[in-house]
């Protein structure tokens, strides 16, 4: 029988140095015994370390699956910043070599299939530990935990939970958007159906933007639409069975006016095939480039309102609103720092073997939120009882 958990070796392999690799990597250089940054070429990895002020603190490597596997040792931690479609292959290599695995992406079916083998081998698999998914989970668990204490699990109640996140330009532009990840990914996300709960019933929209609503955050009006499948998160967030969802939506925030500014893009999405959408992504990247002078803004707003019987009601909200600076984009900070925090918990042995989606309980989420606040990821929490 294997040990309950393979002890962490102290070596972290950070794979990929794209737009979301930020100061979280520096935090790991402060705590891990050894950090290796893997990128397309060793030169590009070295350039990324120089940009982050980490030259000499992490070792640059040219990434290929075979090259990474050759350096893996039992107890190492692999952090994947690669596209989600590549996570399963990386996790398979980790299972073979006895290494732990972490990423900021949603759990795919291909990753889930390997979780039993990873857990049996004593390995930790940390997922959904970035911004969205990631910090949004922490906010939701915190709110649900506090609401359960106030209202009670067995008290019949109706609730509304909304969780909206968006990366937008700090200074609004005519396009009402700033690409903080690959345009192809943005477009394909808009082509994917969304399932959510509204007026007490499950709804599906094949074109998420067609379900866009006005949404006020701290006195500012945004546009918001559902994305992916919100419904499984009712169970993941531990909402009591005695509570009935009136509204449960996880979605995306955009600046007011985005729907009109993107009208031409939506026409292309309705009519275009895969080849046309791929070409459109390139056109948008060229037409709306991100420059060093640009500043991005991340807004994450999660709120929960519970209306129970006999006056046992509760409402609360969490808001993260961060603008990037010359050293780092807001998106890179908000993705890389919670991911690095999770990796630090793998290194210190406090995350058991098996699958973890960020911090999966209210108590654990409160702990992570305190640590993130101390690490410079600022947010506000508000409660009305």
């Amino acid at each position: 029988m294997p040990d309950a958990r393979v002890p962490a070796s102290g070596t972290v392999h950070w794979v990929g140095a794209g737009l979301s690799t930020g100061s979280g990597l520096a935090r790991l250089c402060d705590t891990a015994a050894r950090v290796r940054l893997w990128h397309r070429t060793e030169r590009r990895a070295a350039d990324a370390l120089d940009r982050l002020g980490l030259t000499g603190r992490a070792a640059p490597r040219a990434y290929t699956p075979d090259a990474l596997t050759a350096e893996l040792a039992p107890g190492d931690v692999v952090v994947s910043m690669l596209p989600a479609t590549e996570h399963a292959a990386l996790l398979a290599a980790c299972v073979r070599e006895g290494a732990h695995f972490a990423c900021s992406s949603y759990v795919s079916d291909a990753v889930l299939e390997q979780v039993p083998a990873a857990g049996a081998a004593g390995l930790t698999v940390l997922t959904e530990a970035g911004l969205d998914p990631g910090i949004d989970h922490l906010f939701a668990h915190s709110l649900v935990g506090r609401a359960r204490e106030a209202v009670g699990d067995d008290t019949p109640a109706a609730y509304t939970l909304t969780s909206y996140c968006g990366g937008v330009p700090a200074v609004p532009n005519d396009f009402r958007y700033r690409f903080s990840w690959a345009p192809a990914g943005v477009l394909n996300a808009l082509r994917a159906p969304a399932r959510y709960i509204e007026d007490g019933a499950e709804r599906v929209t094949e074109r998420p933007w067609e379900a866009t609503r006005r949404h006020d955050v701290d006195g500012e009006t945004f546009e918001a639409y559902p994305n992916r499948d919100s419904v499984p998160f009712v169970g993941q967030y531990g909402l009591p069975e005695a509570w009935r969802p009136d509204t449960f939506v996880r979605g995306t925030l955009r600046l007011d006016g985005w729907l009109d500014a993107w009208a031409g893009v939506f026409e292309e999405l309705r009519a275009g095939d895969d080849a046309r959408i791929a070409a459109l992504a390139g056109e948008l990247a060229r037409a709306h480039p991100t420059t060093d002078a640009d500043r991005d803004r991340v807004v994450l707003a999660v709120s929960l309102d519970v209306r129970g019987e006999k006056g046992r009601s509760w409402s609360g909200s969490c808001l993260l609103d961060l603008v990037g600076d010359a050293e780092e984009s807001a998106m890179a900070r908000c993705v890389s720092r919670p991911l690095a925090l999770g990796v630090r918990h793998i290194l210190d042995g406090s995350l058991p073997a098996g699958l973890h989606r960020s911090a999966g309980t209210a108590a654990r989420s409160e702990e992570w939120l305190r640590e993130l606040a101390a690490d410079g990821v600022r947010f506000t929490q508000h409660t009305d009882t």
Side-chain angles (χ1 to χ4, degrees):
M1 293 288 291
D3 293 336
R5 183 182 182 276
V6 173
S9 68
T11 297
V12 174
H13 303 267
W14 188 286
V15 185
L19 293 175
S20 293
T21 291
S23 55
L25 182 59
R27 298 300 190 269
L28 288 179
C29 288
D30 292 336
T31 55
R34 294 162 295 279
V35 176
R36 295 164 188 161
L37 177 63
W38 297 80
H39 205 31
R40 296 176 185 175
T41 67
E42 187 172 333
R43 179 69 262 166
R44 288 195 176 192
D47 289 345
L49 291 173
D50 182 62
R51 171 175 55 83
L52 294 166
L54 298 177
T55 299
R57 299 180 61 194
R61 293 287 193 272
Y63 174 70
T64 67
D66 288 343
L68 173 65
T69 300
E71 291 202 29
L72 286 184
D76 286 1
V77 182
V78 172
V79 181
S80 177
M81 302 298 286
L82 299 178
T85 53
E86 300 185 40
H87 291 337
L90 268 183
L91 178 56
C94 289
V95 173
R96 290 194 302 270
E97 303 299 329
H100 306 286
F101 176 85
C103 71
S104 62
S105 301
Y106 285 100
V107 181
S108 67
D109 290 341
V111 166
L112 277 177
E113 289 175 359
Q114 299 181 68
V115 166
L123 303 175
T124 299
V125 179
L126 173 64
T127 63
E128 301 183 14
L131 168 64
D132 173 14
I135 300 177
D136 58 342
H137 292 348
L138 304 181
F139 283 174
H141 279 297
S142 173
L143 292 171
V144 171
R146 284 184 280 150
R148 289 174 64 180
E149 289 183 0
V151 176
D153 288 3
D154 297 329
T155 300
Y159 67 86
T160 292
L161 188 151
T162 60
S163 178
Y164 289 115
C165 183
V168 300
V171 178
N173 53 27
D174 290 342
F175 194 50
R176 315 303 288 172
Y177 189 67
R178 176 188 187 276
F179 286 108
S180 56
W181 56 307
V186 175
L187 297 182
N188 284 322
L190 285 166
R191 299 171 78 195
R195 185 168 69 128
Y196 56 102
I197 297 172
E198 186 177 63
D199 296 328
E202 289 188 13
R203 303 182 186 277
V204 176
T205 176
E206 296 298 320
R207 301 184 179 106
W209 71 87
E210 293 182 348
T212 298
R213 304 284 189 271
R214 293 170 65 87
H215 189 72
D216 290 334
V217 177
D218 200 27
E220 182 177 357
T221 298
F222 291 85
E223 295 177 349
Y225 61 89
N227 63 23
R228 294 181 175 264
D229 187 352
S230 298
V231 176
F233 291 91
V234 171
Q236 184 172 319
Y237 291 161
L239 286 148
E241 292 185 3
W243 298 4
R244 175 180 57 81
D246 277 345
T247 299
F248 189 97
V249 183
R250 299 179 74 256
T252 301
L253 277 182
R254 294 289 181 252
L255 290 177
D256 191 26
W258 169 80
L259 202 61
D260 289 338
W262 276 53
V265 175
F266 299 142
E267 289 303 315
E268 295 267 21
L269 292 177
R270 288 187 180 95
D273 57 14
D274 290 347
R276 174 56 197 144
I277 300 308
L280 177 62
E283 294 168 11
L284 292 175
R286 291 187 292 273
H288 305 282
T290 297
T291 71
D292 291 339
D294 290 336
R295 295 291 176 264
D296 70 329
R297 177 187 178 196
V298 165
V299 181
L300 169 60
V302 182
S303 63
L304 173 63
D305 180 60
V306 183
R307 300 167 300 285
E309 293 183 349
K310 300 179 181 179
R312 301 186 69 179
S313 298
W314 185 92
S315 65
S317 61
C318 298
L319 173 63
L320 182 155
D321 190 343
L322 181 68
V323 174
D325 54 33
E327 294 183 359
E328 180 180 32
S329 72
M331 186 64 69
R333 177 173 299 180
C334 291
V335 172
S336 69
R337 288 197 186 182
L339 181 56
L341 171 62
V343 173
R344 295 203 299 271
H345 284 302
I346 296 176
L347 292 171
D348 68 20
S350 60
L351 277 184
L355 177 67
H356 301 266
R357 292 178 169 92
S358 193
T361 66
R364 194 73 165 140
S365 293
E366 296 287 3
E367 177 185 340
W368 279 38
L369 288 173
R370 287 192 295 269
E371 291 174 311
L372 282 175
D375 201 23
V377 180
R378 305 294 183 184
F379 54 88
T380 58
Q381 296 174 298
H382 181 75
T383 301
D384 291 320
T385 56

